[in-house]
Amino acid sequence: MSKETATRPTKLYFSIVFTVIFFISLILLICWLSLRPHEPKFHVHNFSVLGLADHGLESARFVYNVSVRNSNRRVGISYDTLTTAIYHNGRPIGITPSFNSFDQEPKTTLYISHVLTGGAIAAAAGSGDTWKEIVGDRGSGKVEFQLELRTSLRYERTMWDLRRHGVRAKCQVPVGGDGALLAGYVGQECPS
Ligand SMILES: *[C@@H]1O[C@H](CO)[C@@H](O)[C@H](O)[C@H]1NC(C)=O
Ligand SMILES: *[C@@H]1O[C@H](CO)[C@@H](O)[C@H](O)[C@H]1NC(C)=O
């Protein structure tokens, strides 16, 4: 028997195995691309500073309303504790835990709304400069604030992504002299 006839079935065997592995991988890749969960999307609907005309950061109240959309058709989302941070010109002026862990069903939108007062913005109360800057900006009709929502999440009912993911949704929330979110920013997405 020649050497060639002995190896031919082995070659055929391996090419079949490799073809099968290739197609299984391709199918898994397509499944992963179409079934992997989408990240929730955050949009700011309201942000308002009450008492902006008053005497200091200690007496101001920050109110926000942000929507969270889970666009997945079957995948639920389980969120960990949500923390709110507020910045003025990129400098932190307040941070507080806002919500305990919560779950979100597929294809639903949640509205997250919270008021930050006194204690939550105490870190900034010591800094008279921040308040002076805010008062100065108010005169010009635009005070730049940034709102950041931090949490971590896990996708439910999926076999494709079992990790916990950190999330930081950053909303640009400049307000006018009256403390209300500037009209052009209502409904804007908060990239995460
Ligand atoms: C935004 O929130 C403030 C404070 O709660 C409220 O007075 C105002 O009406 C809200 N604006 C909208 C558009 O809902
Ligand atoms: C948040 O905004 C949505 C959409 O504008 C509104 O339906 C909802 O009542 C608001 N929630 C609060 C607490 O203001």
Side-chain angles (χ1 to χ4, degrees):
M1 208 185 253
S2 79
K3 202 178 169 196
E4 212 167 288
T5 50
T7 55
R8 200 173 287 144
T10 321
K11 274 185 188 164
L12 184 65
Y13 172 76
F14 277 112
S15 63
I16 288 171
V17 167
F18 281 122
T19 307
V20 167
I21 289 175
F22 174 78
F23 280 106
I24 288 174
S25 307
L26 193 67
I27 289 164
L28 285 176
L29 180 68
I30 290 167
C31 283
W32 181 74
L33 286 175
S34 56
L35 295 177
R36 86 197 142 124
H38 298 289
E39 286 182 2
K41 290 250 185 292
F42 294 76
H43 290 88
V44 62
H45 293 276
N46 196 359
F47 180 83
S48 192
V49 188
L50 309 171
L52 191 60
D54 295 345
H55 308 293
L57 222 37
E58 305 92 321
S59 57
R61 278 149 43 90
F62 294 79
V63 185
Y64 72 81
N65 182 357
V66 170
S67 64
V68 188
R69 173 78 184 159
N70 175 8
S71 63
N72 294 294
R73 257 194 298 164
R74 273 178 285 271
V75 175
I77 302 177
S78 169
Y79 298 86
D80 205 347
T81 310
L82 186 136
T83 298
T84 303
I86 293 174
Y87 298 81
H88 170 250
N89 284 342
R91 255 184 284 155
I93 60 169
I95 178 163
T96 183
S98 293
F99 298 96
N100 293 327
S101 51
F102 55 100
D103 293 336
Q104 183 173 29
E105 290 298 309
K107 287 271 169 214
T108 57
T109 303
L110 291 175
Y111 288 93
I112 292 182
S113 181
H114 196 216
V115 184
L116 280 80
T117 53
I121 48 182
S127 163
D129 288 350
T130 302
W131 185 249
K132 259 184 241 154
E133 264 182 46
I134 290 174
V135 170
D137 292 351
R138 185 160 52 87
S140 74
K142 186 181 185 184
V143 193
E144 298 275 4
F145 288 107
Q146 295 85 37
L147 171 70
E148 189 175 290
L149 303 182
R150 300 177 195 161
T151 184
S152 68
L153 61 82
R154 197 154 39 203
Y155 297 110
E156 292 173 335
R157 300 191 286 279
T158 177
M159 53 188 279
W160 301 99
D161 191 345
L162 304 173
R163 288 181 304 134
R164 194 162 264 294
H165 297 263
V167 175
R168 277 171 183 244
K170 293 177 185 138
C171 315
Q172 296 301 321
V173 285
V175 301
D178 58 355
L181 181 61
L182 294 179
Y185 291 82
V186 176
Q188 287 281 333
E189 187 175 343
C190 309
S192 55

